[in-house]
Amino acid sequence: MSEYLGIDVGGSSIKFSLMDDSGQPTGQPFSIAHSGHDSRGALEVGLHRALTEGTPSAVGIGSPGYLSVDRKHVLFAANLGWSNFPIVDFVSQIVGVPAFLDGDAQVAALAELRLGAARQAKSALYLSLGTGIGCSVIVGGKVLAGAHGMAGNAGHSPVARNLKTCACGKSGCWETVASAKALIDMSEKSPLDFYAACQQADADALVILDEWVEWLALGLTPLLGLLDPQRVIIGGAISEYSDLFVERLAVACSSHLLGADYVGVPEFVPAQCGAHAGVLGAALLAIDGMARSAK
Ligand SMILES: [Zn+2]
């Protein structure tokens, strides 16, 4: 039986998980924290640790940012400080096996498609709410790539003028006001304290939650109008708390989406692969990559 290593690069940590070829984890996933500028070092540390825990025959990587069409380089990742980083060569030289790259939201959507909340959906929109906003589109049993592999890349779409400057250097990006980080920054509390306050119906906390939901809906509504998905899957660590906001989000989207009075809005559901969707999907990417290479 072969073993595959999945890597999920995030804005504040990099997750690693080994998986067998039937899609089952073969060890305990682990993560290496970083603060952006040291993320390349964190990646290297994690790779060496993974090699002490297993013998992968291929590596799959899910990365944020803009990726080269040939899926070899991260051209630009704002939260990591990566610019034209040859990540596939970097990883495969350390591990000594082939490596495959795709967007972080794309690999997470692949996990939800094969193992999670998108299995029975004809179409779905996957949103990963974390340091930024990842987004990907599932249509006809596939994760949509687009002409440049950038389909669904909506986190840096402008939703208003004169908002604070985004990590990408522009102003008005959706993720500056609607990511999980934006919510926690607005609350000025730890995530656990803020979610506890919402669960206790604290009035101040719910005002902040509604403000954030409104920003989330403002960016999401055009995507719903464009794609008319059957299901919207909420991923990222915040999905554990999605019961706090999915109803509010459906109501907010209903108020903005023309036609919602007649046909409603999609189902809003939490990701089933949870916080591990990225690493599981990255390992699936490696399995698919090796299967294609063998043909
Ligand atoms: Zn931006």
Side-chain angles (χ1 to χ4, degrees):
M1 183 175 291
S2 298
E3 199 171 33
Y4 300 88
L5 174 62
I7 302 174
D8 178 24
V9 181
S12 56
S13 70
I14 304 176
K15 296 193 185 81
F16 299 80
S17 182
L18 289 152
M19 177 192 272
D20 66 22
D21 44 20
S22 68
Q24 293 300 312
T26 56
Q28 196 62 32
F30 64 90
S31 65
I32 305 287
H34 67 80
S35 42
H37 67 279
D38 58 352
S39 51
R40 201 178 298 211
L43 175 59
E44 189 167 358
V45 167
L47 288 171
H48 286 295
R49 177 168 161 186
L51 286 174
T52 67
E53 299 187 3
T55 51
S57 53
V59 183
I61 309 158
S63 173
Y66 294 90
L67 312 180
S68 61
V69 175
D70 66 3
R71 292 297 189 256
K72 300 285 185 190
H73 292 68
V74 177
L75 299 176
F76 177 64
N79 293 317
L80 301 166
W82 289 355
S83 181
N84 210 23
F85 175 31
I87 190 167
V88 165
D89 284 350
F90 181 86
V91 168
S92 62
Q93 279 169 14
I94 291 172
V95 184
V97 297
F100 302 90
L101 171 68
D102 207 348
D104 52 355
Q106 278 69 35
V107 298
L110 183 63
E112 293 296 334
L113 179 63
R114 301 265 178 87
L115 309 169
R119 266 179 300 180
Q120 275 90 38
K122 291 192 175 80
S123 61
L125 189 65
Y126 176 83
L127 281 185
S128 175
L129 305 175
T131 309
I133 296 181
C135 179
S136 51
V137 181
I138 293 168
V139 183
K142 289 188 174 170
V143 180
L144 189 67
H148 306 94
M150 299 306 296
N153 200 316
H156 297 275
S157 296
V159 289
R161 299 173 74 178
N162 302 320
L163 296 176
K164 69 180 179 182
T165 304
C166 179
C168 75
K170 295 182 179 175
S171 168
C173 295
W174 188 27
E175 68 176 43
T176 61
V177 285
S179 63
K181 179 179 184 300
L183 175 61
I184 295 309
D185 287 351
M186 283 163 66
S187 76
E188 298 181 335
K189 285 182 162 65
S190 74
L192 279 180
D193 287 348
F194 178 68
Y195 299 133
C198 290
Q199 274 167 332
Q200 290 158 14
D202 177 276
D204 292 340
L206 292 179
V207 166
I208 290 168
L209 183 67
D210 281 336
E211 171 78 2
W212 175 78
V213 163
E214 178 64 9
W215 281 118
L216 191 54
L218 281 174
L220 184 55
T221 301
L223 303 178
L224 302 184
L226 180 71
L227 300 165
D228 188 19
Q230 180 185 349
R231 198 169 286 172
V232 175
I233 300 167
I234 306 291
I238 202 171
S239 64
E240 287 177 43
Y241 304 97
S242 59
D243 59 317
L244 288 178
F245 63 86
V246 288
E247 286 286 321
R248 291 166 187 268
L249 182 57
V251 169
C253 287
S254 294
S255 72
H256 295 303
L257 184 65
L258 200 62
D261 288 347
Y262 307 105
V263 298
V265 291
E267 300 172 75
F268 290 81
V269 297
Q272 287 180 0
C273 297
H276 296 315
V279 278
L280 295 178
L284 291 169
L285 177 73
I287 293 172
D288 287 358
M290 292 303 278
R292 275 197 311 276
S293 306
K295 282 181 184 168

